[in-house]
Structure formats: C-alpha cells, structure tokens
C-alpha cells in the first residue's frame, strides 16, 4: 500500500533525526571520493552535509518520494533524482553503470521488505575500495511502534490498515554477517539516543511524520481522528511527561559502515 511523505512534518525534528546521520558519516574515512550518492535522501538537508564533507565530489541524492525530492531541489550543487532504491540493487552484469565511491543510505532500508537480499546488489554499485554506509532504526519493539500496530489491528481500523507499509530492520550482527560474506570490511554498532521532547503529544508528532504515517494515511477521513485520539492516549501512557513537561523518547539505531575490497565486482 503506497503512501506519501510530508517534508515539513518530517523536518519538525530535523536536529534529532539528523544526529545519527552525522554519527554515521563520522565513521566513513573516505578522503577524496569522486562520486557520492545518498539513497533515500529525503528533503536533502542531510545530503548537503555530504557535499560539505567532500566538496570536490559529484554528489547525488535519490529518493522515491517526489515530494521529498521537490523539497530538496532548492539546495544547490547536488543532483536530485526520483528513484527506487531497489533499482539501484538490480544486477548489472555488463557493468554499464558507473561505480560509486561512497554510497550512503540513512533511515531508508527499513522501509524495503527483504532488504537483506538487496545488500549484494548495493555493494556491487560501489567502486573497489569504496564505502557503503547505512543507518536504520532498531526500535520496532518499542511502544512507539507496538501500540500503533496493536491499535491498527483492531476493528474498525483493521479493515483499512491490512497490508499497510510497516518498517523493520535487523540487528547489527545480521548485517555484518551478510557484508562480511561479501568480502567487505565491516564496522557495525548500535546506539540508543534519548531524545528530550516537549509540547503537546510530542511522541505522536514524531511518529506521525515517519513510522505511523502509512497507517494514518490508510484510514478514511471519518476514522482517522478517532484512531489518532486513541493512539495519542496510548503514547502519553507509554511516554509520560515529567513535572516540567518533558518527555524522553529512547530511540535505538543501528549503524553499518562497510568497505568494499579492491578487485572484482561483487554479485
């Protein structure tokens, strides 16, 4: 079931969402890459950091959302493209596509079912000696996700939310094993951020811009307000505010930086 993205809503927590990208980028030691690609670039605010890090490189941002790419096109010096990450992972037996020195994917792979199967193809797009770095959320067993899934499975919502897109990821060891078997050097780790949020129902505001968005969009206009009301109440119970009105949102994220070996292409 398809859904659309709202760049403005996504950017409402731009600093918090951007920190994992910065932490990922800090562990990519590429010095003078000629080509850098951001798969799942979103509104482009983080892709701009790639251009700042490697000003001599040709930098491109790719996203499947036309809304996100339209928002990114106001950032100069970067090539923007509407495209599907899965197309990037398709076999290229004739080596017709130019290799990429640094391939980055931030908080995107979790939206692609069976994305482990895509890793060989993505590594194949990287030049020998180049880098493939990605970050995915690892918090899908937290109330921010489980309460949404449980509520959406109840009637009258279930009739509309069956088949809705649901993000998922794997532990760092799983990604490491796949990439090690491809001959890559791998640096993988996880971090749990503790985001301090304020405002009215801030956890709902956070998830409604990302993980809960497909579910909310799948509901008809007459049911969505009721679902949101119940969902907000469940989130307030799971993430209570303190006496000063602050809410702490723990957010586990998984990071992988892989260096492709010099030599033959993978795949």
């Amino acid at each position: 079931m398809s859904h659309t993205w709202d760049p403005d809503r996504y950017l409402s927590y731009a600093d918090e969402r951007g920190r994992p990208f910065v932490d990922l980028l800090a562990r990519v030691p590429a010095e003078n890459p000629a080509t850098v690609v951001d798969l799942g670039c979103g509104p482009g605010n983080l892709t701009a950091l790639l251009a700042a890090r490697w000003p001599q490189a040709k930098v491109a941002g790719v996203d499947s959302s036309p809304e996100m790419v339209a928002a990114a096109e106001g950032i100069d010096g970067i090539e923007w493209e509407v495209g599907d990450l899965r197309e990037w992972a398709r076999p290229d037996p004739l080596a017709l596509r130019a290799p990429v020195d640094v391939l980055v994917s931030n908080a995107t792979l979790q939206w692609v079912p069976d994305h482990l199967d895509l890793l060989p193809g993505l590594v194949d797009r990287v030049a020998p000696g180049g880098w493939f770095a990605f970050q995915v959320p690892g918090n899908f067993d937290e109330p921010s996700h489980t309460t949404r899934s449980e509520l959406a499975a109840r009637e009258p919502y279930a009739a509309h939310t069956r088949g809705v897109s649901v993000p998922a990821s794997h532990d760092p060891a799983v990604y490491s094993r796949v990439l090690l078997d491809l001959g890559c050097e791998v640096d993988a780790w996880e971090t749990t951020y503790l985001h301090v949020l304020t405002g009215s129902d801030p956890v709902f505001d956070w998830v409604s811009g990302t993980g809960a968005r497909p579910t909310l969009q799948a509901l008809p206009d007459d049911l969505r307000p009721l679902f949101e009301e119940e969902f907000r109440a469940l989130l307030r119970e799971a993430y209570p505010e303190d006496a000063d009105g602050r809410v702490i949102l723990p957010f586990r994220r998984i990071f992988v930086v892989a260096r492709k070996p010099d030599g033959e292409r993978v795949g």
Side-chain angles (χ1 to χ4, degrees):
M1 185 179 296
S2 62
H3 60 279
T4 60
W5 291 97
D6 181 344
D8 292 334
R9 194 172 189 88
Y10 182 84
L11 287 169
S12 62
Y13 288 105
D15 289 344
E16 291 87 350
R17 298 191 202 280
R19 182 178 170 187
F21 185 92
V22 173
D23 291 346
L24 177 70
L25 190 59
R27 300 281 278 269
V28 180
E31 295 183 358
N32 296 296
T35 53
V36 178
V37 173
D38 183 5
L39 285 182
C41 63
N45 58 310
L46 299 177
T47 313
L49 299 180
L50 299 175
R53 166 79 180 272
W54 295 294
Q56 81 288 351
K58 177 182 177 182
V59 178
V62 181
D63 202 282
S64 62
S65 166
E67 296 85 2
M68 287 293 198
V69 173
E73 287 176 341
I75 302 174
D76 295 330
I78 297 171
E79 294 185 4
W80 305 106
E81 175 188 345
V82 177
D84 193 321
L85 180 149
R86 290 167 292 193
E87 292 296 323
W88 271 73
R90 291 189 184 279
D92 183 23
L94 299 180
L96 298 176
R97 299 175 298 202
V100 176
D101 295 314
V102 178
L103 183 61
V104 177
S105 184
N106 182 64
T108 299
L109 286 172
Q110 76 275 7
W111 288 108
V112 184
D114 302 317
H115 61 260
L116 281 181
D117 297 337
L118 302 183
L119 296 186
L122 292 174
V123 171
D124 193 46
R125 295 298 305 273
V126 177
W131 301 88
F132 174 38
F134 64 89
Q135 178 269 129
V136 291
N139 65 332
F140 299 118
D141 58 352
E142 291 292 325
S144 55
H145 289 275
T146 59
T147 56
R148 181 205 69 234
S149 297
E150 292 165 1
L151 183 59
R154 304 175 193 167
E155 295 297 349
Y157 312 122
H160 305 280
T161 58
R162 293 189 186 97
V164 74
S165 297
V166 176
S169 64
H170 302 275
D171 286 338
V174 176
Y175 293 116
S176 295
R177 178 54 59 192
V178 173
L179 293 166
L180 287 168
D181 288 346
L182 293 172
C184 296
E185 300 174 8
V186 180
D187 177 16
W189 71 99
E190 63 180 74
T191 298
T192 297
Y193 298 88
L194 298 177
H195 299 298
V196 180
L197 310 180
T198 58
S200 176
D201 293 326
V203 179
F204 174 83
D205 288 344
W206 180 292
V207 300
S208 62
T210 52
R213 188 164 182 79
T215 300
L216 295 173
Q217 288 190 345
L219 294 167
D221 292 343
D222 60 332
L223 273 183
R224 191 178 303 114
L226 179 60
F227 181 93
E228 290 186 358
E229 182 181 352
E230 292 190 63
F231 190 26
R232 288 173 186 269
L234 290 170
L235 290 174
R236 285 195 297 268
E237 181 179 355
Y239 302 96
E241 66 177 34
D242 64 17
D244 295 314
R246 296 171 299 203
V247 173
I248 296 178
L249 174 66
F251 203 123
R252 176 179 178 247
R253 294 187 181 266
I254 295 161
F255 301 81
V256 181
V257 175
R259 183 179 184 273
K260 183 173 176 176
D262 294 313
E264 297 296 323
R265 291 164 63 88
V266 176

